[in-house]
Amino acid sequence: MSEKRSQFTGKIGFVLAAAGSAVGLGNIWRFPYLAAKYGGGIFLLVYIILAVTFGFALMCAEIAIGRKTGQSAIGAFKALDKRFSFIGVLASVVPMIILPYYSVIGGWVTKYFADFTFGYAGLAAQDGYFETFIAKPFEPIVWFSVFIGLTALIVLFGVEKGIEKVSKIMMPILVVLTLFVAIYAMFMPGAMDGVIYYLKPDFSKFSATTVLAAMGQLFYSMSLAMGIMITYGSYMKKDVSLEGSVRNIEIFDTCIAFLAGLMIIPSVFAFSGGDEAALGKGPGLMFITLPKVFDSMPGGSIIGAVFFLLVFFAALTSSISLMETVVSIITDKTKLNRKVTCLLVFLGSVLLGICSSLGFGVWSNVSLFNMTILDMSDFLSNSVLMPVVALLTCIFVGFIIKPKALSDEIEITGKFKAKKMFNVIIKYIAPVCIILILISSVLDALGIMKI
Ligand code: PHE
């Protein structure tokens, strides 16, 4: 008999750890930028509706699969129906792809935090600073190694003493820091126009792509379709309310995304004199535009340091969930000892991450469809594998094991209030929507259709 499975101590530990996974770079950098692009208030509204229906149902399903079987993705699908363990295998590939490149970006965040803390804000705000930094062969790899080394260290301490403890400290600090920066940003001269731009619905920008973009963002933001919530569910105690926990995680994730918009959009607006184009800089927004914005603010190096610290916490708790998922899949499958697995996963990710990092410099000529190594990994995991896994999971739950198998698990602690909605979404609504996301994101990436 293998050793007893670790567990989160209770609801708070579980919710904070799962929210730690959900709240990440996606909330802080990607959400505000999408909201600004797709009509402000209207995007927010669509996103919130999708989060409490679609996101809720999928997250309940994944956590219930994990808790019911007590296993990580591959074992969980196998335990429910042997013929379908391939869904678990596909789901497991996703965190293996994401972990290395997510940590490369985590390394950039760490570097910017250090720059702002040690008084180099002016330097970080200079034109070309970011491009020069990421193209260097060694320095980004050093920061990446620091970030992933820290991730591995926390995962090594285990579910309760590592992940739960760190989440209980970092997540509340993250909320306080986010509120602080958001309030500061909103009250800067010229910032109110940005607040209005962010919150006022622009109905003319509403279209089917708004819904698709919101749904794509939702998946990534709630860490769905990559085995993470299955793994975390397998560490959840049976006497904790699953439905209530999912509601809390969802609120946490959406509130931080919303506040991130209030931090970023008004400050960029104030800085650029109301020029919306400054928001549409894609990945450059966080590393190119924001450092300039902070540098121009009174007290900006402190605000910048606080901002990059909160982004660092958000990214770290997410990378922890990615690594834990990979480690848990390997230990469940091979019965290797946890420490050895951690070391192997760490080394494997360092190798892959180095390739991603070099893709911005010496290997920048390695590309496919015009994408760098990092973009390619991102495309493969987010635009292809995740929708496929989500679709297969819905079909599996809706028609093979049937939603009742999971709603019974959810009802262990009492009535499942959203049971009807859960059934309908999993069986019909989610599969149709996911097929649409899949088609549009592939067309988008191949440049055939622009979302
Ligand atoms: N949910 C995280 C975010 O919003 C992203 C993430 C994806 C984290 C996958 C872990 C795993 O940034």
Side-chain angles (χ1 to χ4, degrees):
M1 190 53 205
S2 57
E3 54 189 288
K4 192 171 170 303
R5 197 167 190 81
S6 327
Q7 283 191 323
F8 291 112
T9 54
K11 184 170 173 196
I12 297 183
F14 174 75
V15 167
L16 290 180
S21 170
V23 174
L25 296 167
N27 300 56
I28 296 171
W29 156 69
R30 198 158 180 266
F31 181 88
Y33 144 75
L34 286 179
K37 181 168 165 197
Y38 290 104
I42 185 75
F43 181 86
L44 268 174
L45 189 70
V46 172
Y47 185 86
I48 292 172
I49 295 174
L50 289 174
V52 298
T53 51
F54 189 80
F56 167 82
L58 283 167
M59 189 177 265
C60 280
E62 291 199 12
I63 296 179
I65 290 177
R67 192 170 77 173
K68 185 177 169 76
T69 57
Q71 305 219 33
S72 53
I74 301 184
F77 280 98
K78 190 164 172 206
L80 293 169
D81 188 324
K82 268 209 178 63
R83 295 167 301 164
F84 290 87
S85 53
F86 73 92
I87 307 180
V89 175
L90 277 183
S92 312
V93 177
V94 182
M96 294 180 191
I97 299 178
I98 298 185
L99 176 62
Y101 84 78
Y102 199 84
S103 306
V104 169
I105 304 178
W108 299 348
V109 173
T110 317
K111 148 92 177 160
Y112 273 71
F113 168 62
D115 279 350
F116 275 85
T117 308
F118 297 112
Y120 298 110
L123 209 61
Q126 273 170 16
D127 281 336
Y129 181 79
F130 176 63
E131 292 85 343
T132 316
F133 163 64
I134 60 172
K136 286 184 187 161
F138 295 113
E139 199 192 335
I141 293 178
V142 173
W143 291 106
F144 152 69
S145 310
V146 169
F147 184 85
I148 198 157
L150 212 58
T151 307
L153 192 71
I154 296 164
V155 171
L156 196 63
F157 275 97
V159 174
E160 195 193 318
K161 296 207 183 68
I163 303 175
E164 179 170 331
K165 226 184 200 141
V166 165
S167 309
K168 275 183 168 163
I169 300 171
M170 285 188 193
M171 295 312 284
I173 300 182
L174 186 141
V175 174
V176 175
L177 298 184
T178 309
L179 275 171
F180 170 73
V181 181
I183 293 172
Y184 187 91
M186 273 164 60
F187 288 101
M188 277 181 355
M192 256 318 137
D193 289 343
V195 177
I196 295 170
Y197 176 76
Y198 177 42
L199 298 179
K200 200 171 125 219
D202 177 353
F203 290 99
S204 69
K205 285 198 185 148
F206 180 81
S207 69
T209 50
T210 310
V211 182
L212 286 179
M215 211 176 311
Q217 167 67 7
L218 186 68
F219 263 101
Y220 188 72
S221 188
M222 291 180 78
S223 303
L224 296 169
M226 53 187 113
I228 293 184
M229 291 300 158
I230 300 184
T231 302
Y232 275 23
S234 75
Y235 302 142
M236 185 186 198
K237 285 191 172 151
K238 293 271 184 193
D239 59 2
V240 170
S241 157
L242 202 153
E243 184 177 14
S245 303
V246 173
R247 284 285 179 222
N248 291 347
I249 300 166
E250 175 185 272
I251 293 172
F252 211 119
D253 188 54
T254 310
C255 285
I256 296 283
F258 173 71
L259 285 172
L262 283 182
M263 297 195 282
I264 293 174
I265 296 179
S267 39
V268 172
F269 242 71
F271 170 75
S272 64
D275 177 14
E276 295 168 22
L279 284 166
K281 292 270 189 308
L285 179 63
M286 185 145 93
F287 297 105
I288 300 174
T289 316
L290 282 178
K292 292 187 197 297
V293 173
F294 292 134
D295 190 46
S296 73
M297 284 180 178
S301 39
I302 298 175
I303 298 290
V306 171
F307 174 81
F308 281 106
L309 180 66
L310 76 87
V311 181
F312 172 76
F313 281 173
L316 188 63
T317 44
S318 294
S319 71
I320 290 171
S321 73
L322 286 165
M323 189 178 277
E324 175 60 34
T325 302
V326 179
V327 167
S328 147
I329 285 164
I330 298 178
T331 40
D332 282 353
K333 195 88 195 122
T334 60
K335 306 283 176 250
L336 272 178
N337 143 336
R338 192 181 164 90
K339 290 202 176 81
V340 176
T341 319
C342 273
L343 187 70
L344 290 176
V345 173
F346 168 72
L347 292 176
S349 309
V350 167
L351 277 182
L352 290 175
I354 288 178
C355 300
S356 271
S357 187
L358 293 179
F360 292 98
V362 283
W363 286 356
S364 58
N365 51 354
V366 183
S367 72
L368 191 70
F369 297 119
N370 251 330
M371 293 186 264
T372 61
I373 300 176
L374 192 149
D375 289 337
M376 257 189 284
S377 317
D378 184 74
F379 170 68
L380 187 64
S381 54
N382 296 349
S383 306
V384 182
L385 280 170
M386 282 165 65
V388 169
V389 171
L391 180 64
L392 291 171
T393 309
C394 290
I395 295 173
F396 177 71
V397 175
F399 301 95
I400 309 291
I401 59 167
K402 303 277 155 58
K404 187 170 179 326
L406 299 185
S407 47
D408 285 351
E409 175 68 31
I410 297 171
E411 287 192 319
I412 292 179
T413 51
K415 193 167 156 35
F416 180 15
K417 295 187 212 111
K419 184 150 113 186
K420 280 218 182 77
M421 179 181 90
F422 174 76
N423 290 352
V424 178
I425 291 180
I426 293 287
K427 283 180 100 156
Y428 309 109
I429 303 180
V432 174
C433 297
I434 296 166
I435 291 175
L436 293 177
I437 300 187
L438 185 60
I439 298 175
S440 73
S441 58
V442 171
L443 292 182
D444 178 46
L446 301 183
I448 299 171
M449 184 182 98
K450 243 343 329 90
I451 291 199

